[in-house]
Amino acid sequence: MAGSRVLPEERLIDLCITAESLFVHHSGLPRTQNKREHLVAGAKALLTSDPELDTEDRHIEQLIRGAYRRRNTEMHGDVAETELLCLLDGSTTHDLSALVGDLERLLRRAARLFLLRAIVPGRGREATTRPMTASS
């Protein structure tokens, strides 16, 4: 999803653009005034209790909030914060590559669910019990 980008900072920016495409501009997901809140609401609406991600709503929320805070730091040239970043399993890290990896995993799952719903209306998560691989 982040193409051929190698640096985690560049991948993070690309993945945040992907998140906006999936969750901000998609009809049928909750809308809020704040973009970050809208991303969180959309991700939670689609991925709550997803068996493949196997995570809690609060971890999805913390991951997206942390990714967006770090994205804003990168985009606006701020000094990189040393805050702990929350991952999908609930653990915390300072490792940006780990955050980017989990964000990509979440977005790949969301994209797959959107595609399945488009192909087989009324189906979504229940149609995807097969674990995703790196090529999925």
Side-chain angles (χ1 to χ4, degrees):
M1 293 195 137
S4 62
R5 305 263 193 182
V6 176
L7 295 176
E9 294 84 0
E10 292 176 340
R11 293 183 67 225
L12 176 65
I13 292 166
D14 288 348
L15 290 170
C16 285
I17 292 167
T18 301
E20 290 175 6
S21 295
L22 289 173
F23 301 125
V24 172
H25 303 293
H26 192 277
S27 62
L29 293 179
R31 291 239 178 245
T32 65
Q33 298 290 27
N34 179 291
K35 186 190 295 186
R36 188 181 307 162
E37 296 301 320
H38 188 76
L39 288 169
V40 168
K44 286 170 48 175
L46 182 66
L47 299 167
T48 291
S49 302
D50 183 74
E52 191 167 307
L53 288 180
D54 190 29
T55 190
E56 299 175 23
D57 281 359
R58 66 187 172 109
H59 300 307
I60 291 171
E61 182 172 343
Q62 291 168 337
L63 177 80
I64 291 173
R65 288 182 191 282
Y68 248 77
R69 277 193 302 273
R70 185 58 190 265
R71 172 244 178 229
N72 288 345
T73 297
E74 296 300 326
M75 292 296 293
H76 302 297
D78 299 335
V79 175
E81 299 174 14
T82 58
E83 76 174 293
L84 283 172
L85 303 165
C86 183
L87 302 177
L88 286 173
D89 66 3
S91 65
T92 56
T93 184
H94 289 287
D95 182 8
L96 182 59
S97 293
L99 174 85
V100 167
D102 267 13
L103 182 60
E104 184 166 12
R105 183 173 157 234
L106 181 142
L107 295 174
R108 282 183 181 275
R109 180 61 176 162
R112 186 172 185 196
L113 289 172
F114 279 129
L115 289 171
L116 283 168
R117 288 178 181 180
I119 294 168
V120 185
R123 302 279 314 258
R125 226 173 293 165
E126 66 278 3
T128 61
T129 56
R130 180 179 63 84
M132 288 190 338
T133 62
S135 63
S136 294

